[in-house]
């Protein structure tokens, strides 16, 4: 499990636990500080919308808007706790519980835009149309026939609780969100958490403050997702999935005393790009990163830039570190990189059957790396340490590549 995914799953679980433990206490909190909590919710939603605009997180912005709209409709459109739902009140709860999960799925699959850009206005307009219809139908002659259908689901649910269509909508939305999670699933997992919290809010709609608590926790979860996403953009290399140069410099600034730094470079990387194309070059970078991730001895790997990588060891035992680096070098050198024959790939299954046994074989390539190892001296600046490691790397290149050299 990736660190980003774990960092969001834990807050998601915490929010669910806070909701379960907080609902019984919300009646007292609402009596003491209900107005203040509503103001905090509005201010938090406004702040999240601004941050989503600044950081180009359209889905986060749309989700915040959806949470605020859902809370406003529940808070001002549903009767006080303890009053049975009937007529327009149950109509509102029915369509809220049915449509909110579907809107979350729609936000998930819409293109990413800034929340207040022209391209992002399609969903808010659609949301407004839904709100107008839900508000207008009870005030029209169509309401009698439409409500008789809604009421049939209320009777089936035993007069209370969520109707079957709402459960089906929430289950379908959760299944779609969990299908084909992206490589960085922070936003999607937050959307799933909001879906669960809002479903619980609808289920406990008769409990005082349950919609408010769900809305507060939903905005908190969306804020965590936004922070995690921007942390990933700043510190994690998108291609290889390992920490990037900024993360390396941040790590080194917080290290003191003696430690070992290793500069590594892929041998003949330009020839991979020139001969096989940039797609193969990207595959080479991913392969190298996946092997460097397996570093032992307490080492940490970073992508420095281009075809260069950096490893940092807390140990000052050059012999042990050099042995570990040499083990990595050998594991990379013997690992086969299969280059698929895209030109000869069949267009369909029928063509594939006809070509079977006559296609040119895929190429198998091998990648090698050179390493320069430098032990930090007392008081040595980061720039000087990296220069010494670079000189050792250059020496490894001069001495034939695919080798490890120590800095003086």
């Amino acid at each position: 499990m990736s660190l980003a995914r774990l960092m969001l799953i834990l807050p998601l679980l915490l929010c669910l636990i806070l909701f379960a433990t907080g609902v019984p206490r919300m009646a007292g909190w609402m009596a003491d500080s209900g107005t203040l909590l509503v103001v905090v919710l509005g201010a938090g939603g406004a702040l999240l919308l601004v941050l989503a605009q600044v950081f180009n997180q359209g889905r986060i912005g749309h989700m915040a808007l959806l949470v605020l709209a859902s809370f406003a409709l529940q808070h001002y459109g549903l009767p006080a706790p303890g009053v049975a739902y009937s007529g327009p009140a149950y109509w509102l709860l029915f369509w809220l519980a049915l449509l909110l999960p579907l809107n979350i799925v729609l936000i998930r699959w819409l293109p990413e835009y800034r929340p207040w850009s022209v391209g992002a206005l399609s969903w808010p307009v659609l949301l407004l149309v839904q709100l107008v219809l839900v508000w207008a139908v009870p005030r029209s002659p169509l309401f009698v026939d439409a409500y008789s259908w809604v009421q049939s689901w209320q009777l089936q649910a035993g007069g209370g609780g969520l109707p079957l269509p709402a459960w089906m909508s929430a289950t379908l939305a959760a299944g779609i969100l969990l299908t084909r999670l992206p490589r960085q699933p922070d936003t999607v997992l937050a959307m799933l958490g909001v879906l669960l919290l809002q479903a619980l809010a609808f289920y406990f709609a008769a409990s005082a403050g349950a919609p408010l608590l769900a809305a507060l926790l939903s905005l908190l979860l969306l804020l965590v997702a936004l922070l995690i996403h921007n942390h990933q953009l700043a510190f994690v290399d998108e291609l290889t999935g390992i920490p990037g140069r900024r993360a390396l410099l941040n790590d080194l600034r917080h290290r003191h005393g003696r430690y070992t730094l290793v500069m590594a470079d892929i041998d003949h990387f330009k020839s991979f790009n020139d001969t096989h194309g940039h797609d193969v070059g990207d595959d080479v970078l991913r392969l190298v990163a996946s092997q460097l991730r397996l570093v032992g001895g307490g080492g940490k790997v970073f992508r420095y830039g281009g075809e260069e990588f950096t490893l940092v060891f807390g140990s000052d035992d050059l012999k042990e570190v050099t042995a570990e680096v040499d083990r990595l070098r050998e594991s990379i050198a013997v690992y086969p990189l299969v280059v698929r024959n895209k030109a000869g790939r069949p267009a369909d299954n029928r063509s594939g059957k006809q070509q079977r046994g006559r296609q040119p074989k895929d190429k198998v390539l091998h990648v090698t790396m050179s390493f320069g190892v430098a032990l930090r001296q007392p008081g040595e600046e980061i720039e000087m340490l990296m220069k010494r490691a670079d000189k050792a790397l250059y020496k490894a290149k001069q001495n034939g590549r695919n080798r490890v050299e120590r800095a003086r």
Side-chain angles (χ1 to χ4, degrees):
M1 181 180 294
S2 68
L3 180 60
R5 191 172 300 190
L6 182 62
M7 284 194 301
L8 193 66
I9 287 177
L10 292 178
L12 192 159
L13 294 175
L14 180 60
C15 285
L16 294 175
I17 293 172
L18 288 174
F19 182 87
T21 57
V23 166
R25 299 175 173 84
M26 279 301 293
W29 295 343
M30 290 294 291
D32 296 336
S33 310
T35 303
L36 177 61
L37 290 174
V38 173
V39 171
V40 169
L41 176 69
L47 174 63
L48 192 56
L49 286 170
V50 171
L51 292 176
Q53 177 74 10
V54 171
F55 293 111
N56 297 323
Q57 295 296 304
R59 292 189 179 95
I60 295 290
H62 287 159
M63 287 296 297
L65 189 61
L66 182 63
V67 168
L68 292 174
S70 175
F71 167 74
L73 290 172
Q74 291 178 78
H75 187 68
Y76 299 106
L78 297 181
V83 179
Y85 293 161
S86 61
Y90 190 79
W91 169 271
L92 177 61
L93 178 65
F94 178 90
W95 287 109
L96 267 178
L98 180 68
L99 293 176
L100 185 137
L102 301 181
N103 277 275
I104 291 178
V105 171
L106 182 61
I107 293 172
R108 162 69 178 91
W109 292 108
L110 283 175
E112 183 73 85
Y113 292 105
R114 281 192 174 189
W116 305 115
S117 65
V118 175
L121 291 179
S122 58
W123 179 79
V125 170
L126 180 60
L127 178 64
L128 182 61
V129 170
Q130 295 174 66
L131 294 175
V132 169
L133 288 176
V134 171
W135 174 84
V137 170
R139 292 161 176 79
S140 72
L142 298 173
F143 177 67
V144 177
D145 294 333
Y147 179 66
S148 63
W149 177 76
V150 170
Q151 191 178 36
S152 67
W153 292 110
Q154 183 181 17
L155 295 173
Q156 186 183 60
L162 289 181
L164 181 61
W167 286 113
M168 294 174 63
S169 175
T171 303
L172 176 65
I176 293 175
L177 289 175
L178 288 172
T179 301
R180 297 181 65 182
L181 281 174
R183 186 174 180 181
Q184 294 183 350
D186 34 83
T187 302
V188 178
L189 287 176
M191 295 169 76
L192 177 63
V194 171
L195 172 63
L196 296 175
L197 287 167
Q198 293 301 309
L200 289 171
F202 294 136
Y203 186 79
F204 292 101
S207 301
L212 176 57
L213 180 60
L216 286 168
L217 293 174
S218 295
L219 292 184
L220 177 62
L221 196 57
L222 291 171
L223 177 61
V224 171
L226 186 143
L227 295 175
I228 291 175
H229 183 81
N230 283 281
H231 176 273
Q232 293 289 102
L233 288 177
F235 291 98
V236 177
D237 178 61
E238 185 176 5
L239 178 64
T240 61
I242 63 175
R245 185 170 181 172
R246 185 173 296 176
L248 167 66
L249 296 177
N250 185 64
D251 180 274
L252 294 179
R253 278 194 291 266
H254 290 84
R255 288 183 182 268
H256 306 283
R258 290 163 68 86
Y259 59 86
T260 306
L261 184 137
V262 181
M263 297 298 294
D265 186 87
I266 302 173
D267 297 328
H268 304 295
F269 181 73
K270 186 176 183 299
S271 67
F272 281 101
N273 281 331
D274 294 343
T275 305
H276 304 287
H278 290 283
D279 288 344
V280 174
D282 289 346
D283 289 339
V284 169
L285 292 169
R286 294 190 191 98
L287 165 67
V288 168
S290 67
Q291 292 299 302
L292 292 177
R293 279 178 184 270
L294 304 178
V295 59
K300 296 175 65 175
V301 60
F302 304 85
R303 186 182 177 192
Y304 188 74
E307 66 270 29
E308 278 194 277
F309 295 81
T310 304
L311 295 99
V312 182
F313 294 83
S315 172
D316 61 355
D317 189 328
L318 264 181
K319 184 177 180 181
E320 288 186 2
V321 171
T322 303
E324 176 60 23
V325 172
D326 199 54
R327 183 194 65 79
L328 280 175
R329 178 199 60 76
E330 187 174 353
S331 68
I332 293 169
V334 300
Y335 197 93
L337 173 65
V338 179
V339 180
R340 303 297 180 188
N341 179 37
K342 295 182 179 180
R345 186 168 293 175
D348 50 46
N349 290 336
R350 184 176 180 181
S351 300
K353 290 179 180 179
Q354 293 174 350
Q355 296 179 20
R356 192 163 294 163
R358 294 186 285 116
Q359 285 182 276
K361 294 183 178 180
D362 296 328
K363 293 182 179 179
V364 178
L365 306 177
H366 289 277
V367 182
T368 62
M369 294 191 73
S370 301
F371 298 82
V373 182
L375 174 65
R376 181 178 183 266
Q377 303 301 320
E380 185 176 20
E381 296 293 332
I382 295 173
E383 293 78 8
M384 185 57 65
L385 174 63
M386 297 184 78
K387 284 182 180 179
R388 291 199 300 115
D390 262 331
K391 286 183 179 179
L393 171 61
Y394 183 68
K395 183 179 178 183
K397 294 283 190 182
Q398 285 185 318
N399 291 340
R401 296 182 170 85
N402 189 26
R403 59 187 295 117
V404 181
E405 293 286 350
R406 295 182 186 177
R408 294 181 178 178

